């Protein structure tokens, strides 16, 4: 029985790592541009489909993997350079809704280019595995877990120790003041879109291998990713990582109990809701002070 729990725990950590990677990509972009990108999942889905297509053409595996990341960067930067600047001075809600439109456009293009079919991305790491405490763990799962931790550590170091990281933090504090200080706003924002898109491409690639290669499923991965980002207050990368892992593990464990299994899709909302309540503890609601 312990082995069964171990298998679901490992599975949950792997999927939670993908949620965390998505959350990190969202937080990096949100901190630099103020945009909550609902198209993140669709970008990941398009990237995964391109990787599958490249592999299906018989090209080498590394070419397919790189194509996923490049596709994510191109699709993300394209939005960041062509559409986002015209909305830079609009309300955050308007910016977020605009990305919903981009998500629908990408979903439509994916449906136009690829028919519905059972597909899977095969990675060499799928067949390699290690056994820990009697539980077999594929290297792909270890890769997902390690990548999520590396992404958090790498981005913290980048934001704290590099000049462009400093510029990103300045944009997050005040876009107008950053521009007055001579920070190249467009260049820095494009870099943020590129980093976020690269993470989306990588996440889509792993999702297509670990879970399933279905564009709609990958697209709506953005929901638990946003929930993970909410756990991190849309700013903390460490808490976003913990939030993503928690969502993945709770989802996996709920499948062990038949009465709870149908409710597992509610996990991101419940975890995000509890996180919001915890963050607001001790605070009065705004309308409670109004008379």
């Amino acid at each position: 029985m312990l082995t069964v729990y171990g298998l679901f725990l490992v599975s949950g950590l792997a999927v939670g790592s993908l949620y965390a990677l998505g959350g990190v990509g969202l937080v990096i972009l949100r901190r630099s541009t103020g945009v909550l990108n609902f198209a993140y999942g669709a970008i990941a889905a398009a990237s995964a489909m391109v990787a599958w297509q490249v592999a299906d053409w018989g090209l080498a595996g590394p070419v397919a993997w790189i194509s996923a990341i490049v596709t994510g960067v191109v699709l993300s930067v394209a939005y960041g350079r062509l559409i986002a600047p015209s909305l830079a001075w609009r309300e955050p809600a308007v910016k977020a809704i605009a990305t919903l439109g981009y998500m629908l456009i990408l979903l439509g293009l994916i449906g136009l280019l690829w028919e519905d079919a059972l597909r899977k991305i095969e990675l060499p790491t799928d067949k390699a595995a290690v056994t820990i405490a009697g539980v077999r763990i594929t290297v792909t799962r270890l890769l997902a877990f390690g990548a999520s931790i590396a992404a958090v550590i790498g981005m913290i170091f980048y934001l704290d120790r590099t000049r462009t990281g400093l510029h990103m933090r300045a944009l997050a504090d005040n876009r107008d003041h950053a521009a007055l200080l001579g920070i190249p706003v467009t260049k820095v924002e494009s870099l943020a879109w590129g980093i976020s898109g690269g993470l989306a491409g990588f996440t889509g690639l792993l999702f297509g291998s670990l879970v399933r290669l279905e564009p709609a499923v990958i697209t709506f991965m953005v929901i638990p990713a946003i929930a993970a980002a909410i756990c991190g207050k849309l700013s903390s990368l460490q808490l976003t990582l913990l939030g993503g892992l928690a969502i993945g593990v709770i989802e996996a464990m709920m499948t062990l109990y038949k009465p709870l299994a149908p409710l597992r899709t509610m996990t991101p909302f419940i975890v995000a809701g509890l996180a919001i309540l915890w963050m607001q503890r001790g605070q009065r609601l705004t309308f409670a002070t109004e008379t």
Side-chain angles (χ1 to χ4, degrees):
M1 190 62 183
L2 286 177
T3 303
V4 175
Y5 279 108
L7 285 171
F8 277 85
L9 175 63
V10 169
S11 175
L13 284 173
V15 175
S17 298
L18 301 182
Y19 297 159
L21 276 172
V24 169
L26 290 170
V27 168
I28 291 296
L29 187 64
R30 175 71 164 67
R31 285 177 58 170
S32 303
T33 66
V35 176
L36 184 58
N37 184 14
F38 284 98
Y40 188 91
I43 292 173
S47 303
M49 292 304 296
V50 169
W52 173 85
Q53 186 63 68
V54 171
D56 193 57
W57 284 336
L59 297 177
V63 177
W65 311 333
I66 293 172
S67 70
I69 296 173
V70 171
T71 300
V73 172
V74 169
L75 290 177
S76 185
V77 172
Y79 183 90
R81 292 302 296 265
L82 300 177
I83 301 175
S86 60
L87 301 170
W89 311 107
R90 300 299 303 271
E91 298 81 1
V94 174
K95 296 178 183 177
I97 290 171
T99 64
L100 273 177
Y102 191 49
M103 179 190 81
L104 295 175
I105 291 171
L106 290 178
L107 268 178
L109 289 174
I110 292 171
L112 185 66
L113 293 172
W114 291 284
E115 295 179 353
D116 288 338
L118 288 174
R119 301 182 180 91
K120 181 174 175 61
I121 293 177
E122 300 284 351
L123 297 177
T125 51
D126 294 341
K127 296 177 182 176
V130 296
T131 301
I132 301 176
V135 178
R136 184 177 182 273
I137 308 172
T138 65
V139 175
T140 304
R141 286 176 170 167
L142 291 175
L143 177 64
F145 186 65
S148 63
I149 295 175
V152 170
I153 295 174
M155 289 313 306
I156 290 174
F157 179 84
Y158 180 76
L159 292 172
D160 289 344
R161 303 293 180 88
T162 67
R163 188 175 183 82
T164 49
L166 177 64
H167 288 171
M168 284 185 182
R169 287 190 287 134
L171 281 180
D173 291 337
N174 193 304
R175 194 175 192 276
D176 294 337
H177 290 174
L180 289 173
L181 291 171
I183 292 175
V185 174
T186 303
K187 181 180 177 181
V188 174
E189 288 186 341
S190 297
L191 183 60
W193 282 99
I195 292 172
S196 179
L199 285 173
F202 183 70
T203 306
L205 179 68
L206 290 183
F207 205 96
S209 174
L210 279 174
V211 187
R212 55 181 164 173
L213 182 54
E214 188 174 328
V217 173
I218 300 177
T219 296
F220 288 101
M221 172 202 69
V222 73
I223 293 174
I226 288 176
I230 288 174
C231 292
K233 303 178 184 178
L234 295 175
S235 60
S236 170
L237 297 176
Q238 301 96 315
L239 292 179
T240 298
L241 171 64
L242 293 177
L245 294 177
I247 292 169
V249 170
I250 293 171
E251 271 188 352
M253 289 302 178
M254 287 178 73
T255 58
L256 283 171
Y257 302 97
K258 284 186 179 179
L260 296 178
L263 305 176
R264 61 195 294 269
T265 54
M266 297 170 58
T267 304
F269 301 101
I270 294 173
V271 172
L274 291 174
I276 291 171
L277 289 175
W278 173 257
M279 287 183 282
Q280 290 184 338
R281 67 190 187 285
Q283 297 180 11
R284 289 185 177 181
L285 295 177
T286 302
F287 61 79
T289 61
E290 294 176 353
T291 58

